[in-house]
Amino acid sequence: MTVDTGREEQLESPRQSSLGTAAARNLATTTKSAPQMQEITSRWLLRVLPWVETKGGTYRVNRRLSYTVGDGRVEFVQDGASVRVIPRELGELALLKGFDDLEVLTALAIRCVQQDFRAGEVLAERGTAAERIHLIAHGRISQTTVGKYGDEVAVAVLADGDQFGENTLLDADATWDYTATAETSGTLLTLSRADFAAVVSTAPGLQAHIREFSALPLQRQNKHGEAEIAMSAGHSGEPELPGTYVDYELNPREYELSLAQTVLRVHTRVADLYNEPMNQTKEQLRLTIEALRERQEHELINNREFGLLHNAAYKQRIQTHSGPPTPDDLDELLCRRRGSKFFLAHPRAIAAMGREFNARGLYPDHVDLGGQQVPAWRGVPILPCSKIPITKENTSSILVMRTGEENQGVIGLRQTGLPEEYEPGLSVRFMGIDERSIISYLVTTYYSAAILVPDALGVLENVQIGRRRD
């Protein structure tokens, strides 16, 4: 038994002879960070967009009168395997722009015939008679023609919502100027010239609309569809010089400032007793403002009223040549506008660009932007923006833009000098203390964006960002 007792004494833990760390932490002042927030991003768009003071809360974009009509995209509804065009969406066609007789548009929509196509199928062949318009509900279609030296030359790549062959509805002698080949399987709707004529014959309103439309080309225009400014050049002697004036749009677009708001609540007990070493109200306000700025950038990209993705002109939207974002696609974006200031892309899209650069043995340049080195293509910075959406098909978009009022570019809109302004265009207004001892602050920021001329913004759509399997 004595041996056993000795063994028990040997198994006992040594007694604690000093204060433990767990107890000591209760009396110590720890070294701590300010509250952290994972939602915060670089917000490059807010940093590089020129901000224009918008007094009165509204910004009007005055433009030279333009006779360009239509050129929009058509939307469809799907019911199982059946696809139908939305009647009012036919008003996006140049020929039917501004025509709003729903009964007639419905009659045209009913006559649109669904056609499913497979990859590699030729949908229109160059030189053959063109007798119908094609409305693409889903899929990719490439247009090619024969170049000067007999080789095949790419004309365009079309995708969901695009259309081709609209001129065939009125021109009985129309022929295809290109060959349209399906790159993927998909669905389109076609409307024949005969069906269109049958509806026109019973619709006097549509007949009058077509006569008005046919008269538009008589107005002299430049290549952008703007009313021409008459002038004479290269003449000799003393000819009579043409008189002219610059006509303006009668109903210019107006952008009203949008807003993001929230009410920040802080208990007086917290504000009074727990302000050392960090001011609780200040830290709460800092994180709230960060969240508002993140939402502001999201709205500038995605808002249907003024967001850049929804307001880019359809003629400035292009499709990738093969799916991933190649240097050729970026060059196609740049060549459509002067003075491009920066690309904007989701970080995963930028990674996809890098893979395409590496596959071609290219290494993008880097430029200094605000003291930070960022990748660039042709000297144009490539900036990340996680607010650009990624679709379930793993595709995204890449934007490129020219900025500034003096360059007829994209601008941000805001109003400064607000009551109780905390930052430019952002105010924090004290709302009082309620019966529960809760202090309330109204935090508000006002903003919008405007595209001064259509070619200020370009979008590369349906960019494949997933890694290809070898």
Side-chain angles (χ1 to χ4, degrees):
M1 296 297 295
T2 28
V3 176
D4 292 338
T5 304
R7 185 176 299 169
E8 289 178 1
E9 291 177 354
Q10 291 176 4
L11 293 176
E12 290 181 359
S13 300
R15 294 191 177 186
Q16 183 174 322
S17 59
S18 64
L19 180 66
T21 56
R25 284 192 62 187
N26 294 329
L27 301 180
T29 300
T30 60
T31 302
K32 57 184 72 67
S33 73
Q36 304 299 300
M37 182 173 175
Q38 191 172 343
E39 186 183 6
I40 298 174
T41 64
S42 55
R43 298 199 294 267
W44 273 108
L45 180 61
L46 300 187
R47 294 162 61 182
V48 299
L49 204 60
W51 291 95
V52 174
E53 186 70 18
T54 309
K55 294 300 182 184
T58 302
Y59 186 91
R60 178 181 296 161
V61 178
N62 289 309
R63 290 179 179 171
R64 186 172 158 189
L65 180 63
S66 174
Y67 291 92
T68 303
V69 293
D71 301 322
R73 288 189 174 175
V74 180
E75 293 186 6
F76 306 82
V77 290
Q78 184 175 1
D79 183 10
S82 176
V83 176
R84 305 187 310 275
V85 62
I86 301 172
R88 288 197 184 277
E89 287 295 310
L90 292 175
E92 292 295 331
L93 303 178
L95 176 59
L96 299 175
K97 186 70 173 180
F99 184 73
D100 56 2
D101 189 327
L102 183 57
E103 183 178 349
V104 176
L105 293 176
T106 302
L108 291 173
I110 291 174
R111 286 169 168 78
C112 291
V113 179
Q114 180 175 336
Q115 176 184 342
D116 296 324
F117 55 85
R118 63 184 184 279
E121 182 177 347
V122 176
L123 302 173
E125 190 168 353
R126 180 177 178 269
T128 60
E131 299 177 345
R132 59 189 67 241
I133 182 176
H134 296 71
L135 311 174
I136 305 173
H138 178 65
R140 283 170 54 95
I141 297 174
S142 63
Q143 295 177 337
T144 59
T145 188
V146 177
K148 182 177 180 179
Y149 301 102
D151 53 340
E152 189 177 79
V153 178
V155 176
V157 178
L158 308 180
D160 304 11
D162 289 327
Q163 51 83 16
F164 61 97
E166 186 176 358
N167 63 310
T168 64
L169 297 179
L170 296 180
D171 185 2
D173 300 321
T175 58
W176 295 114
D177 297 327
Y178 46 78
T179 297
T181 307
E183 290 190 352
T184 66
S185 59
T187 302
L188 55 78
L189 299 180
T190 64
L191 177 64
S192 68
R193 183 164 57 243
D195 285 338
F196 181 76
V199 175
V200 172
S201 64
T202 61
L206 182 54
Q207 295 172 18
H209 179 83
I210 291 175
R211 285 194 297 270
E212 183 180 346
F213 172 82
S214 300
L216 286 179
L218 300 177
Q219 170 69 38
R220 301 188 66 178
Q221 308 168 31
N222 62 18
K223 65 180 181 179
H224 303 291
E226 298 170 328
E228 185 180 62
I229 299 176
M231 62 184 65
S232 178
H235 53 273
S236 59
E238 300 178 352
E240 183 178 348
L241 298 179
T244 190
Y245 66 96
V246 181
D247 207 353
Y248 303 128
E249 289 185 351
L250 296 179
N251 298 298
R253 179 169 180 181
E254 294 184 346
Y255 293 85
E256 293 186 0
L257 291 183
S258 183
L259 79 164
Q261 286 182 309
T262 189
V263 176
L264 173 63
R265 295 186 174 94
V266 182
H267 199 286
T268 53
R269 184 177 185 180
V270 172
D272 292 342
L273 302 181
Y274 298 94
N275 273 342
E276 293 295 338
M278 297 177 189
N279 186 297
Q280 293 283 357
T281 302
K282 183 177 179 180
E283 292 301 321
Q284 287 280 301
L285 183 58
R286 178 179 66 85
L287 296 182
T288 300
I289 291 175
E290 292 283 1
L292 277 178
R293 293 302 191 193
E294 293 292 331
R295 183 56 181 266
Q296 178 181 352
E297 186 175 63
H298 178 274
E299 292 291 303
L300 291 176
I301 293 291
N302 297 289
N303 187 282
R304 297 193 67 85
E305 294 297 322
F306 57 84
L308 300 182
L309 280 179
H310 293 284
N311 285 268
Y314 288 116
K315 283 189 174 181
Q316 299 299 325
R317 303 174 189 235
I318 62 174
Q319 304 296 319
T320 61
H321 288 83
S322 58
T326 66
D328 296 335
D329 296 320
L330 302 185
D331 285 341
E332 183 74 16
L333 273 179
L334 292 177
C335 77
R336 290 172 174 257
R337 64 200 39 80
R338 59 180 172 82
S340 296
K341 290 297 184 182
F342 58 87
F343 292 100
L344 203 64
H346 193 281
R348 290 182 59 190
I350 295 177
M353 287 186 211
R355 290 193 293 270
E356 295 301 313
F357 288 148
N358 293 339
R360 290 162 173 76
L362 300 174
Y363 186 76
D365 299 328
H366 279 71
V367 297
D368 181 86
L369 195 62
Q372 184 172 342
Q373 292 292 312
V374 297
W377 178 250
R378 309 291 189 192
V380 179
I382 303 173
L383 305 179
C385 179
S386 59
K387 314 305 187 303
I388 299 175
I390 296 177
T391 68
K392 61 181 180 180
E393 291 85 11
N394 220 22
T395 62
S396 186
S397 299
I398 297 174
L399 290 75
V400 67
M401 64 189 79
R402 181 176 67 247
T403 59
E405 275 189 310
E406 66 284 355
N407 293 323
Q408 302 183 103
V410 180
I411 57 174
L413 306 176
R414 70 182 180 191
Q415 185 178 137
T416 58
L418 301 171
E420 300 181 55
E421 190 170 60
Y422 190 83
E423 293 179 357
L426 184 145
S427 67
V428 180
R429 310 185 74 169
F430 176 67
M431 298 176 64
I433 305 174
D434 65 15
E435 63 278 3
R436 296 173 298 169
S437 299
I438 302 294
I439 310 172
S440 297
Y441 299 91
L442 176 64
V443 188
T444 306
T445 180
Y446 298 96
Y447 55 87
S448 188
I451 304 169
L452 299 188
V453 295
D455 75 345
L457 174 66
V459 181
L460 180 66
E461 296 185 315
N462 297 315
V463 176
Q464 180 182 320
I465 61 176
R467 186 185 298 272
R468 284 181 169 178
R469 296 183 63 183
D470 297 329

